[in-house]
Amino acid sequence: MKRVFIHGAICPMCLDKEQTQFVWSDMLHRYICWLCTVELCADFYPSAGKSSNYFLRAAEMLGFNEWICRRLYLQEVLMQRAAESHIDVDAEVCKRQIDAINEYLKALNENKNLEENSAARIILIHKIKERAFNCRFDDLIIPHNSVE
């Protein structure tokens, strides 16, 4: 994640005027301050009864559901990690977490029952809990001298 120094800019996420270090956000298609980047990462995994203020703010900015923003953020992080590891990553890498979010969004669209939606959220949180950012791209590299 490359930081750029921009003086006199306002972060669109936190509206802080004092920040000078910004990072490009593929999810938001704009620069956000370094602190908001850290908060998004720390706030990715929600607890069962808590929503993320940062992902709610992203949802407001983009006009999407909070979980669509989480999926976009997860995809962004996975692609950054792949680029840093110099590995070409296809859609299968860490696909389980993205699939879990897609299943949850589908359940929300199909169910109007609050109890079923709550159950679907709990299942989602358990499926993705602290796993998404643990993908190790270097495990995907097959040594040149290995035989399959």
Side-chain angles (χ1 to χ4, degrees):
M1 218 181 293
K2 185 176 181 178
R3 291 186 235 180
V4 295
F5 292 90
I6 306 173
H7 296 282
I10 298 172
C11 176
M13 287 288 291
C14 66
L15 305 177
D16 190 342
K17 299 174 189 174
E18 303 298 318
Q19 295 299 318
T20 58
Q21 297 182 45
F22 287 81
V23 175
W24 179 256
S25 169
D26 285 331
M27 173 182 65
L28 296 170
H29 298 284
R30 60 188 79 180
Y31 283 97
I32 61 174
C33 75
W34 172 248
L35 293 175
C36 284
T37 303
V38 171
E39 292 294 339
L40 281 168
C41 185
D43 224 10
F44 181 79
Y45 293 108
S47 62
K50 173 187 161 253
S51 290
S52 159
N53 290 335
Y54 285 88
F55 284 99
L56 288 175
R57 175 73 177 126
E60 289 172 7
M61 291 171 66
L62 296 173
F64 294 145
N65 174 294
E66 171 189 357
W67 280 97
I68 291 174
C69 292
R70 287 179 192 273
R71 183 182 62 199
L72 290 170
Y73 180 76
L74 176 59
Q75 291 168 325
E76 176 181 347
V77 169
L78 293 175
M79 291 302 112
Q80 285 174 353
R81 294 263 173 101
E84 290 168 2
S85 301
H86 306 292
I87 296 174
D88 222 5
V89 178
D90 62 5
E92 294 301 314
V93 176
C94 296
K95 190 173 181 289
R96 291 171 297 157
Q97 289 79 26
I98 293 170
D99 286 345
I101 294 172
N102 289 337
E103 289 170 17
Y104 173 70
L105 291 170
K106 183 179 177 188
L108 283 184
N109 286 333
E110 292 175 354
N111 299 323
K112 301 301 176 202
N113 181 321
L114 290 177
E115 286 182 17
E116 289 178 20
N117 288 345
S118 293
R121 181 180 167 88
I122 290 168
I123 290 168
L124 167 68
I125 290 169
H126 284 288
K127 283 184 177 181
I128 68 168
K129 188 174 184 182
E130 298 178 13
R131 292 190 183 113
F133 302 141
N134 293 333
C135 295
R136 294 184 44 96
F137 296 115
D138 51 337
D139 290 344
L140 299 175
I141 298 173
I142 299 171
H144 293 289
N145 57 0
S146 68
V147 178
E148 299 209 13

